[in-house]
Amino acid sequence: KYTKFSISYYWINSLDQKTFIYSRVENVAIPSGGENKTAALSYDHRIMPLENTSSTGTYYCEVKWNDIQKMGKGMFVLIRDTGYINTSYSWEILVTLTVLLAVLSVTATALLLWKRK
């Protein structure tokens, strides 16, 4: 009953649209003495090439037996254009803010001392 099943790969984009990528039917022979035992089989599938940034989304694997359907948790894939540089300005902002506060502090101290005289 469980030796014949189908495996489907698909992805869901940001608009919740489901796109099937690949599907196949498996018929696994049970070796002698393997009846009534749980078996785990691994199936890999590579999606190549991911053409453009619109391929960003969550990719899923789904297995169907006669009366059972199981779906994986999904894998989110973010696709960026060639030459993309992840810009992070956190260090620049921190240094700029520190220098600005130091200049203001020195200026305020100088003004207080000057006004005191």
Side-chain angles (χ1 to χ4, degrees):
K1 178 179 179 180
Y2 298 108
T3 59
K4 188 173 183 180
F5 54 92
S6 66
I7 303 172
S8 301
Y9 300 92
Y10 61 90
W11 68 283
I12 298 177
N13 65 14
S14 59
L15 302 173
D16 282 335
Q17 296 169 328
K18 190 179 199 178
T19 304
F20 280 92
I21 300 169
Y22 179 75
S23 185
R24 69 178 185 233
V25 175
E26 292 288 333
N27 195 358
V28 179
I30 299 174
S32 180
E35 299 87 357
N36 297 324
K37 292 183 180 176
T38 301
L41 301 172
S42 179
Y43 292 92
D44 292 334
H45 179 71
R46 291 182 186 255
I47 303 163
M48 295 296 236
L50 295 171
E51 295 164 2
N52 54 39
T53 56
S54 65
S55 299
T56 292
T58 306
Y59 288 73
Y60 294 93
C61 174
E62 183 177 82
V63 179
K64 291 181 186 176
W65 290 271
N66 292 331
D67 55 347
I68 299 173
Q69 178 177 329
K70 294 286 182 180
M71 185 173 84
K73 295 177 183 176
M75 171 69 67
F76 180 76
V77 178
L78 175 63
I79 299 163
R80 297 180 174 159
D81 284 332
T82 303
Y84 176 83
I85 299 172
N86 191 7
T87 55
S88 174
Y89 298 106
S90 59
W91 282 107
E92 289 87 348
I93 292 170
L94 183 63
V95 169
T96 303
L97 187 61
T98 304
V99 168
L100 182 64
L101 288 174
V103 168
L104 288 174
S105 177
V106 168
T107 304
T109 303
L111 285 173
L112 284 172
L113 291 174
W114 178 69
K115 206 162 197 179
R116 208 174 195 194
K117 290 181 180 183

